[in-house]
Amino acid sequence: MSHMTDQQPWTTRTTTDHDEIREWVEARGATPTHVTATASEGDLGVLRIDFPEADVNLEPVEWDDFFAKFDREELAFRYQDEKRDGEQSYFHRFVSRDAMPGRTMTTTGHDRIREWAEARDAKPSHVIDTGAGDDVGVLRLDFPEEELDPSLEEIAWEDFFTKFDQEGLAFRYQETKASGEQSYFHRFVQREELGVTDAVDADVSVVAAGTAPTGTAPETDLTVGLVVDEIHEDARGYDHWNKNDEYLVFRNEGEEILDLTGWTVQSEDGHTYQFPEEFHLGSRKAVTLYTGSGDDSDDRLYWGAKRAVWKNTGDKVTVSDDEERAIIREAY
């Protein structure tokens, strides 16, 4: 494949290269298809990749027709070669090219971050009770058009950037959506994870860790905690009939065991899952949360939802701690 070879096999990559996409698909015995119900005269409708378990809702198309639609809709292909355990990964997603490197930027420049935030009337803030002494704890940007978040408190830019640099953070952001509207997409990520070292601006195409409180007492130091490692929102076949192929993977990137008792995962529509009592996620360990039913274990949890939860057209994953503070907001 033509992707960067210095990235880990489990790194999530994004590409528009036709040969790279075709090679990934055919290596898994899959074929290019479209959703027949969405097609109209001269338009294939929604594109899909169909794996050997044939889906009656999908119809094969020629690669040339597939890529003509792919380019016309300005799509990109996000995928993973291998899971972290070395198994072949089937994770993939069609995304807007606005998510491509060069459109989604990463910076450590204080002036650039402040300019982006102030253009959106956002205030530098921190999550209350996540720090101690001179440590402000978890950083956030607070936007006036959103409902007031009682867990956030405004701080001075100077204090914000002191913490930002101490934690080795970078700021990932987007200027505009595909529609041309102003974008509010942003995320705090680790410079080390991105290979960014005091860069002014850098193009990146990896899913990176963010900072989060560990659920321990305020007097402890802030560490990198829970991150969303993978979102697999589009189950094979009809989503509501194959709920256990819809899942989220969470990873503890911190050095300490993370007690997730009482923590919740919520969709944009308000569907909510609560982690079980005494559930602990070890350092550098991952757990997969399946939408369907099954027996919970240390690395597998089951929502038990009656229907699929995560929208294929885009959604937002919100993870809150046992004090109802939003720790992760991950849109896709």
Side-chain angles (χ1 to χ4, degrees):
M1 293 187 185
S2 59
H3 56 65
M4 295 174 61
T5 56
D6 59 340
Q7 294 178 342
Q8 298 289 354
W10 59 79
T11 297
T12 303
R13 302 177 175 89
T14 306
T15 185
T16 58
D17 186 275
H18 293 188
D19 291 338
E20 187 173 336
I21 297 167
R22 183 169 181 169
E23 183 178 342
W24 186 93
V25 170
E26 293 181 345
R28 288 154 180 78
T31 54
T33 65
H34 71 128
V35 181
T36 54
T38 65
S40 59
E41 186 175 354
D43 186 358
L44 292 176
V46 176
L47 298 180
R48 286 287 184 267
I49 301 299
D50 196 16
F51 294 90
E53 299 83 0
D55 185 335
V56 296
N57 299 307
L58 303 180
E59 181 180 63
V61 298
E62 297 295 328
W63 276 115
D64 287 347
D65 296 332
F66 181 91
F67 285 125
K69 171 72 172 180
F70 181 83
D71 291 334
R72 189 165 58 250
E73 295 295 323
E74 293 195 341
L75 297 176
F77 187 70
R78 183 167 291 165
Y79 70 98
Q80 184 183 49
D81 276 329
E82 296 179 8
K83 300 178 183 178
R84 286 183 181 257
D85 60 9
E87 291 183 18
Q88 187 179 57
S89 175
Y90 289 81
F91 170 74
H92 69 285
R93 184 182 310 151
F94 294 103
V95 297
S96 166
R97 291 186 186 180
D98 265 12
M100 289 291 292
R103 305 210 184 173
T104 301
M105 301 296 295
T106 302
T107 184
T108 58
H110 295 186
D111 291 342
R112 183 69 196 95
I113 297 168
R114 184 168 181 171
E115 178 185 351
W116 185 93
E118 291 181 345
R120 292 155 179 79
D121 296 325
K123 305 296 183 183
S125 306
H126 72 129
V127 180
I128 298 170
D129 294 333
T130 59
D134 294 332
D135 183 2
V136 298
V138 177
L139 298 179
R140 289 287 185 268
L141 290 178
D142 200 10
F143 296 87
E145 67 276 7
E146 295 182 353
E147 184 178 348
L148 185 64
D149 189 340
S151 69
L152 299 184
E153 180 180 62
E154 184 177 351
I155 58 175
W157 277 114
E158 182 178 355
D159 296 332
F160 182 93
F161 286 125
T162 295
K163 177 66 174 181
F164 181 84
D165 291 334
Q166 284 175 348
E167 291 296 322
L169 297 177
F171 184 71
R172 193 173 186 182
Y173 67 98
Q174 188 180 58
E175 285 290 355
T176 59
K177 302 177 182 179
S179 63
E181 295 178 60
Q182 187 179 56
S183 175
Y184 288 79
F185 169 79
H186 68 286
R187 187 181 308 154
F188 295 104
V189 295
Q190 287 291 303
R191 298 176 196 180
E192 182 180 357
E193 292 286 334
L194 297 175
V196 176
T197 306
D198 296 331
V200 176
D201 287 288
D203 295 343
V204 294
S205 58
V206 299
V207 175
T211 55
T214 62
T216 54
E219 63 268 15
T220 60
D221 292 334
L222 178 70
T223 60
V224 176
L226 193 69
V227 299
V228 180
D229 211 24
E230 182 178 333
I231 301 172
H232 194 265
E233 78 284 0
D234 190 3
R236 297 183 195 177
Y238 186 51
D239 290 10
H240 299 302
W241 295 349
N242 192 16
K243 295 190 293 296
N244 279 346
D245 195 38
E246 181 183 86
Y247 56 84
L248 308 175
V249 180
F250 296 103
R251 182 173 297 277
N252 177 11
E253 293 287 358
E255 299 297 333
E256 304 294 333
I257 295 174
L258 191 57
D259 183 359
L260 297 180
T261 301
W263 288 42
T264 59
V265 180
Q266 189 174 70
S267 72
E268 201 165 27
D269 288 341
H271 301 293
T272 303
Y273 168 84
Q274 184 168 318
F275 284 92
E277 291 292 323
E278 301 299 321
F279 184 81
H280 297 84
L281 188 59
S283 173
R284 311 298 177 184
K285 299 296 184 181
V287 60
T288 302
L289 174 59
Y290 296 95
T291 299
S293 300
D295 295 325
D296 289 345
S297 66
D298 290 342
D299 60 357
R300 293 170 179 261
L301 295 174
Y302 294 88
W303 192 304
K306 294 182 179 179
R307 297 173 60 82
V309 170
W310 304 108
K311 296 193 290 289
N312 296 344
T313 54
D315 211 323
K316 181 168 68 174
V317 181
T318 300
V319 180
S320 301
D321 67 8
D322 56 352
E323 296 181 18
E324 299 185 354
R325 296 176 298 193
I327 304 305
I328 295 174
R329 289 189 179 96
E330 181 80 22
Y332 65 85

